[in-house]
Amino acid sequence: MQSIFELTSDEGRLGRQRRALLRGIERSEFLDVVAPRGALYAFPSIDRGKLPDFDDGRFAMELLEAEHVLVVPGSSFNVPYTNHRRLTLLPDEDTMSEVFVRMERRLASMAARAR
């Protein structure tokens, strides 16, 4: 039986998945986040300097339709800003890496259209 300590340690499943999520955000040209310390989700933001008209609801729908990735718009959590989305740490590391490839592709496409 696996304990919560093994699961959440740096080498545990959730520790590895957290690292994969943070690595994806670190590599992004558009994303920033306060690293989650106990939650099973992260709340990354979009750099408004690079995408000034970014809308989290529109992005979530475009990402789902074009890239088949589901994220939750941050504004769904009753916040007054629209440049965040909520991501879970539960997908495995390979899936998490692919999510960030697709997300970055969509963000780059949005930035190109905005120019």
Side-chain angles (χ1 to χ4, degrees), residues 8-22:
T8 59
S9 74
D10 285 343
E11 296 310 313
R13 182 175 58 85
L14 292 177
R16 292 189 316 269
Q17 289 163 207
R18 178 182 178 275
R19 262 196 324 279
L21 180 134
L22 293 175

Side-chain angles (χ1 to χ4, degrees), residues 9-110:
S9 74
D10 285 343
E11 296 310 313
R13 182 175 58 85
L14 292 177
R16 292 189 316 269
Q17 289 163 207
R18 178 182 178 275
R19 262 196 324 279
L21 180 134
L22 293 175
R23 195 169 36 249
I25 293 169
E26 220 174 74
R27 292 177 179 161
S28 174
E29 178 184 347
F30 305 96
L31 300 173
D32 191 29
V33 72
V34 173
R37 296 188 56 186
L40 293 176
Y41 59 87
F43 207 59
S45 65
I46 291 292
D47 182 341
R48 288 268 192 205
K50 294 182 179 174
L51 286 165
D53 296 324
F54 182 85
D55 177 84
D56 60 356
R58 189 174 64 237
F59 173 71
M61 195 57 119
E62 190 173 320
L63 186 64
L64 179 60
E65 291 173 350
E67 300 288 348
H68 309 287
V69 172
L70 177 64
V71 297
V72 180
S75 58
S76 298
F77 295 92
N78 200 28
V79 294
Y81 40 84
T82 61
N83 68 320
H84 286 72
R85 88 231 22 81
R86 185 172 171 166
L87 304 175
T88 180
L89 275 64
L90 296 178
D92 63 60
E93 297 151 273
D94 291 339
T95 300
M96 191 74 73
S97 294
E98 182 61 25
V99 161
F100 280 99
V101 166
R102 294 178 188 196
M103 207 172 347
E104 195 70 9
R105 184 168 51 220
R106 187 60 24 206
L107 290 167
S109 172
M110 292 172 85

